[in-house]
Structures are given as structure tokens and as C-alpha cells.
Amino acid sequence: MASIVDVPKPRVNCSMLSQHINRPVCFVGRVEKVHPSGSAFTLTDGDGKTANIELNEPLEEELSGVVELLGMVSNKGVIMATTYTILREDKGITFDLELYNEALKVIHDFPQYYPFEMAASG
């Protein structure tokens, strides 16, 4: 079986999670809260909605700012993260989650123009 990193993954926000149960996704959000155990955290998307993230192993570093992660959506809508990347916001350049969210809506509203997303969605 192919690794989640090797298969096509649609980019989603919180409102799209229920459409991707048991499927790999790419999610970008701002870290809101990290569980004391380090094995779970929450991210807020560009709409201000919160996604729950769980990890197989506890974090080994401090997690803050904007994060992009790859994972599978569970039956409960929790993203079981396989890998994540902290998107650095240094040099005064901040990641515009609202604009990113608008781009996601365009990609999903017009799949005929984004064949990768169409193939990834199913």
C-alpha cells in the first residue's frame, strides 16, 4: 500500500472534512491549542472553524503559528496526522489563511479546471 505522502490528497478546510472520511487530506491552519500530552492539537482554518488533530507519537518540538499537515480523516472528523510542516512566518510576512480559504473554495467549486483535485477527490 502506498504511503499517504505518495497518494493524491485534496486540500480541505473544516467544512470539507465530512466529505473526506477515511481518505487522505492536506489541511492548513493556525495552531490554537496543544494538548499537554503533545499527541493532539487543534487548528483553526480560514473560516475560523476548528479541526481536531491527533498524532501517533507526541510532538518533539513546540508547535505554533500556521501548520500544513497530511493525514487521514477519521469517522469522527478528526484528522489523524501522518506528517506536518510549520510554515514559518518570519521577516514580517504572515500567511493569509482567509485568502487561502478562498482559493480552496475556488478549487472545489470548479473541479473541471483543477484536474489534480478532481482525481484526488475521487
mmCIF file of all heavy atoms in Angstrom, residues 70-101:
data_model
loop_
_atom_site.group_PDB
_atom_site.id
_atom_site.type_symbol
_atom_site.label_atom_id
_atom_site.label_comp_id
_atom_site.label_asym_id
_atom_site.label_seq_id
_atom_site.Cartn_x
_atom_site.Cartn_y
_atom_site.Cartn_z
ATOM 1 N N LEU A 70 -0.543 16.512 6.596
ATOM 2 C CA LEU A 70 -1.121 15.444 5.789
ATOM 3 C C LEU A 70 -1.654 14.409 6.759
ATOM 4 O O LEU A 70 -0.999 14.086 7.751
ATOM 5 C CB LEU A 70 -0.055 14.794 4.898
ATOM 6 C CG LEU A 70 0.734 15.718 3.993
ATOM 7 C CD1 LEU A 70 1.787 14.915 3.226
ATOM 8 C CD2 LEU A 70 -0.160 16.470 3.054
ATOM 9 N N GLY A 71 -2.851 13.898 6.476
ATOM 10 C CA GLY A 71 -3.413 12.896 7.363
ATOM 11 C C GLY A 71 -4.681 12.296 6.806
ATOM 12 O O GLY A 71 -5.151 12.664 5.736
ATOM 13 N N MET A 72 -5.224 11.358 7.567
ATOM 14 C CA MET A 72 -6.482 10.694 7.216
ATOM 15 C C MET A 72 -7.582 11.233 8.104
ATOM 16 O O MET A 72 -7.376 11.427 9.297
ATOM 17 C CB MET A 72 -6.364 9.184 7.430
ATOM 18 C CG MET A 72 -5.374 8.488 6.525
ATOM 19 S SD MET A 72 -5.954 8.328 4.847
ATOM 20 C CE MET A 72 -7.159 7.050 5.040
ATOM 21 N N VAL A 73 -8.762 11.428 7.520
ATOM 22 C CA VAL A 73 -9.911 11.903 8.293
ATOM 23 C C VAL A 73 -10.623 10.692 8.890
ATOM 24 O O VAL A 73 -11.008 9.774 8.174
ATOM 25 C CB VAL A 73 -10.879 12.713 7.402
ATOM 26 C CG1 VAL A 73 -12.048 13.234 8.226
ATOM 27 C CG2 VAL A 73 -10.151 13.855 6.703
ATOM 28 N N SER A 74 -10.787 10.698 10.210
ATOM 29 C CA SER A 74 -11.455 9.577 10.890
ATOM 30 C C SER A 74 -12.967 9.709 10.759
ATOM 31 O O SER A 74 -13.485 10.731 10.310
ATOM 32 C CB SER A 74 -11.077 9.551 12.371
ATOM 33 O OG SER A 74 -11.780 10.565 13.066
ATOM 34 N N ASN A 75 -13.677 8.661 11.199
ATOM 35 C CA ASN A 75 -15.145 8.676 11.179
ATOM 36 C C ASN A 75 -15.719 9.825 11.994
ATOM 37 O O ASN A 75 -16.825 10.276 11.743
ATOM 38 C CB ASN A 75 -15.701 7.358 11.735
ATOM 39 C CG ASN A 75 -15.395 6.190 10.827
ATOM 40 O OD1 ASN A 75 -15.076 6.362 9.665
ATOM 41 N ND2 ASN A 75 -15.486 4.998 11.376
ATOM 42 N N LYS A 76 -14.976 10.285 12.981
ATOM 43 C CA LYS A 76 -15.431 11.376 13.845
ATOM 44 C C LYS A 76 -15.010 12.749 13.333
ATOM 45 O O LYS A 76 -15.241 13.752 14.002
ATOM 46 C CB LYS A 76 -14.899 11.171 15.259
ATOM 47 C CG LYS A 76 -15.435 9.905 15.909
ATOM 48 C CD LYS A 76 -14.862 9.717 17.280
ATOM 49 C CE LYS A 76 -15.393 8.429 17.893
ATOM 50 N NZ LYS A 76 -14.840 8.174 19.216
ATOM 51 N N GLY A 77 -14.360 12.785 12.159
ATOM 52 C CA GLY A 77 -13.936 14.058 11.591
ATOM 53 C C GLY A 77 -12.616 14.569 12.138
ATOM 54 O O GLY A 77 -12.219 15.697 11.861
ATOM 55 N N VAL A 78 -11.921 13.749 12.913
ATOM 56 C CA VAL A 78 -10.602 14.097 13.433
ATOM 57 C C VAL A 78 -9.567 13.752 12.369
ATOM 58 O O VAL A 78 -9.668 12.711 11.722
ATOM 59 C CB VAL A 78 -10.315 13.319 14.741
ATOM 60 C CG1 VAL A 78 -8.892 13.535 15.226
ATOM 61 C CG2 VAL A 78 -11.317 13.694 15.807
ATOM 62 N N ILE A 79 -8.580 14.605 12.199
ATOM 63 C CA ILE A 79 -7.506 14.300 11.243
ATOM 64 C C ILE A 79 -6.405 13.562 11.989
ATOM 65 O O ILE A 79 -5.842 14.084 12.957
ATOM 66 C CB ILE A 79 -6.947 15.568 10.585
ATOM 67 C CG1 ILE A 79 -8.064 16.330 9.872
ATOM 68 C CG2 ILE A 79 -5.819 15.197 9.610
ATOM 69 C CD1 ILE A 79 -7.634 17.673 9.314
ATOM 70 N N MET A 80 -6.123 12.347 11.535
ATOM 71 C CA MET A 80 -5.039 11.553 12.101
ATOM 72 C C MET A 80 -3.784 11.904 11.292
ATOM 73 O O MET A 80 -3.587 11.394 10.186
ATOM 74 C CB MET A 80 -5.357 10.059 11.996
ATOM 75 C CG MET A 80 -6.730 9.681 12.565
ATOM 76 S SD MET A 80 -6.975 10.130 14.275
ATOM 77 C CE MET A 80 -5.857 8.995 15.064
ATOM 78 N N ALA A 81 -2.981 12.817 11.823
ATOM 79 C CA ALA A 81 -1.853 13.377 11.078
ATOM 80 C C ALA A 81 -0.710 12.372 10.924
ATOM 81 O O ALA A 81 -0.342 11.686 11.871
ATOM 82 C CB ALA A 81 -1.348 14.633 11.758
ATOM 83 N N THR A 82 -0.190 12.316 9.727
ATOM 84 C CA THR A 82 0.971 11.494 9.427
ATOM 85 C C THR A 82 2.235 12.340 9.462
ATOM 86 O O THR A 82 3.261 11.933 9.982
ATOM 87 C CB THR A 82 0.836 10.849 8.040
ATOM 88 O OG1 THR A 82 -0.356 10.074 8.020
ATOM 89 C CG2 THR A 82 2.015 9.967 7.709
ATOM 90 N N THR A 83 2.137 13.542 8.908
ATOM 91 C CA THR A 83 3.275 14.452 8.859
ATOM 92 C C THR A 83 2.768 15.887 8.897
ATOM 93 O O THR A 83 1.633 16.154 8.508
ATOM 94 C CB THR A 83 4.133 14.192 7.604
ATOM 95 O OG1 THR A 83 5.267 15.046 7.609
ATOM 96 C CG2 THR A 83 3.342 14.420 6.337
ATOM 97 N N TYR A 84 3.596 16.777 9.372
ATOM 98 C CA TYR A 84 3.226 18.189 9.392
ATOM 99 C C TYR A 84 4.453 19.050 9.130
ATOM 100 O O TYR A 84 5.587 18.614 9.334
ATOM 101 C CB TYR A 84 2.588 18.589 10.728
ATOM 102 C CG TYR A 84 3.526 18.528 11.906
ATOM 103 C CD1 TYR A 84 4.302 19.629 12.259
ATOM 104 C CD2 TYR A 84 3.648 17.370 12.657
ATOM 105 C CE1 TYR A 84 5.185 19.561 13.323
ATOM 106 C CE2 TYR A 84 4.511 17.304 13.733
ATOM 107 C CZ TYR A 84 5.280 18.402 14.060
ATOM 108 O OH TYR A 84 6.146 18.334 15.113
ATOM 109 N N THR A 85 4.196 20.263 8.664
ATOM 110 C CA THR A 85 5.244 21.233 8.400
ATOM 111 C C THR A 85 4.816 22.572 8.981
ATOM 112 O O THR A 85 3.699 23.032 8.714
ATOM 113 C CB THR A 85 5.474 21.406 6.883
ATOM 114 O OG1 THR A 85 5.775 20.133 6.314
ATOM 115 C CG2 THR A 85 6.593 22.381 6.592
ATOM 116 N N ILE A 86 5.683 23.191 9.752
ATOM 117 C CA ILE A 86 5.400 24.521 10.280
ATOM 118 C C ILE A 86 5.738 25.523 9.179
ATOM 119 O O ILE A 86 6.840 25.510 8.630
ATOM 120 C CB ILE A 86 6.236 24.807 11.541
ATOM 121 C CG1 ILE A 86 5.895 23.805 12.641
ATOM 122 C CG2 ILE A 86 6.009 26.241 12.008
ATOM 123 C CD1 ILE A 86 6.823 23.872 13.844
ATOM 124 N N LEU A 87 4.784 26.363 8.828
ATOM 125 C CA LEU A 87 5.012 27.388 7.815
ATOM 126 C C LEU A 87 5.537 28.634 8.520
ATOM 127 O O LEU A 87 4.793 29.342 9.190
ATOM 128 C CB LEU A 87 3.728 27.684 7.034
ATOM 129 C CG LEU A 87 3.091 26.474 6.347
ATOM 130 C CD1 LEU A 87 1.815 26.879 5.634
ATOM 131 C CD2 LEU A 87 4.058 25.833 5.368
ATOM 132 N N ARG A 88 6.803 28.867 8.387
ATOM 133 C CA ARG A 88 7.460 29.969 9.093
ATOM 134 C C ARG A 88 6.885 31.309 8.661
ATOM 135 O O ARG A 88 6.649 31.543 7.488
ATOM 136 C CB ARG A 88 8.962 29.953 8.815
ATOM 137 C CG ARG A 88 9.623 28.651 9.186
ATOM 138 C CD ARG A 88 10.046 28.662 10.632
ATOM 139 N NE ARG A 88 10.650 27.381 10.973
ATOM 140 C CZ ARG A 88 10.338 26.686 12.039
ATOM 141 N NH1 ARG A 88 9.442 27.130 12.867
ATOM 142 N NH2 ARG A 88 10.916 25.554 12.293
ATOM 143 N N GLU A 89 6.654 32.166 9.632
ATOM 144 C CA GLU A 89 6.117 33.495 9.359
ATOM 145 C C GLU A 89 7.118 34.561 9.807
ATOM 146 O O GLU A 89 6.761 35.551 10.416
ATOM 147 C CB GLU A 89 4.780 33.690 10.062
ATOM 148 C CG GLU A 89 3.690 32.785 9.528
ATOM 149 C CD GLU A 89 2.351 33.058 10.183
ATOM 150 O OE1 GLU A 89 2.225 32.809 11.391
ATOM 151 O OE2 GLU A 89 1.444 33.521 9.482
ATOM 152 N N ASP A 90 8.372 34.321 9.485
ATOM 153 C CA ASP A 90 9.381 35.289 9.891
ATOM 154 C C ASP A 90 9.483 36.412 8.861
ATOM 155 O O ASP A 90 8.803 36.410 7.841
ATOM 156 C CB ASP A 90 10.739 34.605 10.093
ATOM 157 C CG ASP A 90 11.154 33.735 8.923
ATOM 158 O OD1 ASP A 90 10.402 33.660 7.941
ATOM 159 O OD2 ASP A 90 12.224 33.122 8.995
ATOM 160 N N LYS A 91 10.298 37.371 9.134
ATOM 161 C CA LYS A 91 10.520 38.524 8.251
ATOM 162 C C LYS A 91 9.249 39.330 8.009
ATOM 163 O O LYS A 91 9.089 39.967 6.974
ATOM 164 C CB LYS A 91 11.143 38.088 6.931
ATOM 165 C CG LYS A 91 12.476 37.386 7.098
ATOM 166 C CD LYS A 91 13.072 36.967 5.792
ATOM 167 C CE LYS A 91 14.359 36.215 6.046
ATOM 168 N NZ LYS A 91 14.906 35.615 4.863
ATOM 169 N N GLY A 92 8.307 39.276 8.965
ATOM 170 C CA GLY A 92 7.117 40.106 8.869
ATOM 171 C C GLY A 92 6.092 39.671 7.834
ATOM 172 O O GLY A 92 5.124 40.376 7.585
ATOM 173 N N ILE A 93 6.288 38.512 7.229
ATOM 174 C CA ILE A 93 5.342 38.021 6.226
ATOM 175 C C ILE A 93 4.441 36.995 6.897
ATOM 176 O O ILE A 93 4.903 35.948 7.344
ATOM 177 C CB ILE A 93 6.078 37.382 5.024
ATOM 178 C CG1 ILE A 93 6.999 38.402 4.382
ATOM 179 C CG2 ILE A 93 5.075 36.829 4.025
ATOM 180 C CD1 ILE A 93 7.934 37.823 3.340
ATOM 181 N N THR A 94 3.151 37.297 6.964
ATOM 182 C CA THR A 94 2.222 36.371 7.596
ATOM 183 C C THR A 94 1.441 35.606 6.538
ATOM 184 O O THR A 94 1.201 36.105 5.443
ATOM 185 C CB THR A 94 1.226 37.114 8.512
ATOM 186 O OG1 THR A 94 0.518 38.066 7.735
ATOM 187 C CG2 THR A 94 1.938 37.802 9.655
ATOM 188 N N PHE A 95 1.061 34.389 6.877
ATOM 189 C CA PHE A 95 0.267 33.548 5.983
ATOM 190 C C PHE A 95 -1.186 33.979 6.101
ATOM 191 O O PHE A 95 -1.745 34.017 7.187
ATOM 192 C CB PHE A 95 0.431 32.074 6.373
ATOM 193 C CG PHE A 95 -0.176 31.125 5.382
ATOM 194 C CD1 PHE A 95 0.578 30.606 4.347
ATOM 195 C CD2 PHE A 95 -1.506 30.755 5.485
ATOM 196 C CE1 PHE A 95 0.018 29.724 3.433
ATOM 197 C CE2 PHE A 95 -2.076 29.879 4.579
ATOM 198 C CZ PHE A 95 -1.309 29.363 3.552
ATOM 199 N N ASP A 96 -1.812 34.305 4.974
ATOM 200 C CA ASP A 96 -3.195 34.780 4.962
ATOM 201 C C ASP A 96 -4.140 33.583 4.836
ATOM 202 O O ASP A 96 -4.440 33.127 3.732
ATOM 203 C CB ASP A 96 -3.388 35.753 3.807
ATOM 204 C CG ASP A 96 -4.719 36.471 3.841
ATOM 205 O OD1 ASP A 96 -5.686 35.919 4.428
ATOM 206 O OD2 ASP A 96 -4.799 37.575 3.274
ATOM 207 N N LEU A 97 -4.605 33.081 5.977
ATOM 208 C CA LEU A 97 -5.487 31.910 5.978
ATOM 209 C C LEU A 97 -6.834 32.201 5.306
ATOM 210 O O LEU A 97 -7.414 31.311 4.687
ATOM 211 C CB LEU A 97 -5.737 31.435 7.404
ATOM 212 C CG LEU A 97 -4.748 30.435 7.966
ATOM 213 C CD1 LEU A 97 -5.036 30.167 9.426
ATOM 214 C CD2 LEU A 97 -4.749 29.153 7.175
ATOM 215 N N GLU A 98 -7.329 33.429 5.429
ATOM 216 C CA GLU A 98 -8.606 33.772 4.795
ATOM 217 C C GLU A 98 -8.484 33.696 3.274
ATOM 218 O O GLU A 98 -9.365 33.167 2.598
ATOM 219 C CB GLU A 98 -9.078 35.163 5.230
ATOM 220 C CG GLU A 98 -9.521 35.232 6.684
ATOM 221 C CD GLU A 98 -8.355 35.310 7.684
ATOM 222 O OE1 GLU A 98 -7.223 35.670 7.277
ATOM 223 O OE2 GLU A 98 -8.574 34.987 8.855
ATOM 224 N N LEU A 99 -7.385 34.213 2.737
ATOM 225 C CA LEU A 99 -7.166 34.157 1.297
ATOM 226 C C LEU A 99 -6.964 32.715 0.831
ATOM 227 O O LEU A 99 -7.492 32.296 -0.197
ATOM 228 C CB LEU A 99 -5.961 35.018 0.905
ATOM 229 C CG LEU A 99 -5.673 35.144 -0.577
ATOM 230 C CD1 LEU A 99 -6.865 35.747 -1.318
ATOM 231 C CD2 LEU A 99 -4.435 36.017 -0.788
ATOM 232 N N TYR A 100 -6.222 31.945 1.611
ATOM 233 C CA TYR A 100 -6.023 30.527 1.311
ATOM 234 C C TYR A 100 -7.373 29.812 1.257
ATOM 235 O O TYR A 100 -7.635 29.006 0.367
ATOM 236 C CB TYR A 100 -5.112 29.893 2.367
ATOM 237 C CG TYR A 100 -4.929 28.407 2.211
ATOM 238 C CD1 TYR A 100 -4.011 27.894 1.293
ATOM 239 C CD2 TYR A 100 -5.670 27.505 2.968
ATOM 240 C CE1 TYR A 100 -3.841 26.526 1.139
ATOM 241 C CE2 TYR A 100 -5.505 26.135 2.819
ATOM 242 C CZ TYR A 100 -4.590 25.657 1.911
ATOM 243 O OH TYR A 100 -4.429 24.301 1.757
ATOM 244 N N ASN A 101 -8.251 30.129 2.206
ATOM 245 C CA ASN A 101 -9.580 29.521 2.262
ATOM 246 C C ASN A 101 -10.396 29.871 1.017
ATOM 247 O O ASN A 101 -11.122 29.030 0.484
ATOM 248 C CB ASN A 101 -10.294 29.974 3.531
ATOM 249 C CG ASN A 101 -11.452 29.089 3.874
ATOM 250 O OD1 ASN A 101 -11.274 27.895 4.052
ATOM 251 N ND2 ASN A 101 -12.634 29.666 3.950
#
